[in-house]
Amino acid sequence: MLEALASVLILFGAFFVLVGSLGLARLPDFFTRLHGPTKATTLGLAAVCAAFIAFAAGSGNGLSVRELLILVFLFITAPVSAFVLGRAALRRGTPSMTPPPAPLEDADDDRHR
Amino acid sequence: MLTAALNIAIAAVLLAMLLSLWRLLRGPAPEDRVLALDTLYINTIALVLMLSIRFDSRLYFEAALLIAMTGFVGTIALAKYLLRGNLMD
């Protein structure tokens, strides 16, 4: 039973990891490419981690939450790295298919420049 | 059944890594290359976890955790470098 659950989760996760990388390779500009790895790949890795937990629980060692460490860490870090990369691309003027929004008048984040 | 699913999944993740590598080598802007490296390390975590199930060994888990941590720090450092032109001043 747990083995079947792990198999389904593994296939689900591998599919979404593949979709994320396909988006990274095929989408037209950087800001659209940012979508693939940050969402689809994170979901895929979450499914793989869940499969790992199911497999570890099924292999006689009982349920352990140690495997959740990777999942929690990735859920915290993936949005942060996506935000930092997007901000770097916006500041550097990376070519975009649609013009980026004009900066707000009272935005005081020029001090980070 | 688990072995068959794992073989398919490992093949899919290897294909995903090849696609990321293509973007890493081709990517027009430096941000694309950094994003490709970010994707590549996340794909590596998935691959290591799958190999851990495939070889029935718990030792791979620590390797996956270490890759997750160092990969995140590397991405942040590279993005900071792109933004400022240096890392520490």
Side-chain angles (χ1 to χ4, degrees), chain A residues 3-8 10-11 13-15 17-18 20-27 29-30 33-35 37-38 41-42 45 48-49 51-52 55-56 59 61 64 66-70 73-74 76-78 80-82 84-85 87-92 94-95 112-113, chain B residues 1-6 8-10 12-13 15-17 19-20 22-24 26-36 38-39 41-43 45-50 52-54 56-58 60-62 64-65 68-70 72 75-76 78-84:
Chain A
E3 193 168 316
L5 178 67
S7 304
V8 171
I10 282 271
L11 286 177
F15 173 73
V17 167
L18 184 58
S21 285
L22 201 62
L24 176 72
R26 293 296 301 160
L27 284 174
D29 72 341
F30 175 75
R33 266 175 225 142
L34 203 50
H35 287 288
T38 55
T41 306
T42 307
L45 196 69
V48 173
C49 280
F52 193 78
F55 170 74
S59 66
N61 292 322
S64 78
R66 209 164 54 112
E67 287 77 13
L68 278 179
L69 271 179
I70 295 180
F73 190 77
L74 200 88
I76 293 171
T77 59
V80 175
S81 56
V84 171
L85 277 176
R87 195 180 64 161
L90 201 59
R91 290 280 170 78
R92 287 166 47 87
T94 303
H112 293 302
R113 197 181 287 271
Chain B
M1 186 172 76
L2 187 58
T3 310
L6 274 172
I8 298 171
I10 287 173
V13 172
L15 183 60
M17 288 178 83
L19 287 169
S20 305
W22 185 72
R23 179 55 69 193
L24 175 66
R26 188 172 177 274
E31 291 88 3
D32 286 308
R33 299 179 201 266
V34 179
L35 184 64
D38 189 70
T39 315
Y41 93 77
I42 295 179
N43 288 352
I45 298 171
L47 186 65
V48 167
L49 284 179
M50 285 172 186
S52 169
I53 302 178
R54 182 77 170 78
D56 201 4
S57 159
R58 303 289 291 266
Y60 289 80
F61 168 76
E62 275 81 15
L65 197 55
M69 290 179 169
T70 53
F72 171 65
T75 302
I76 295 297
L78 281 171
K80 209 73 176 167
Y81 174 72
L82 285 181
L83 204 56
R84 291 190 174 182

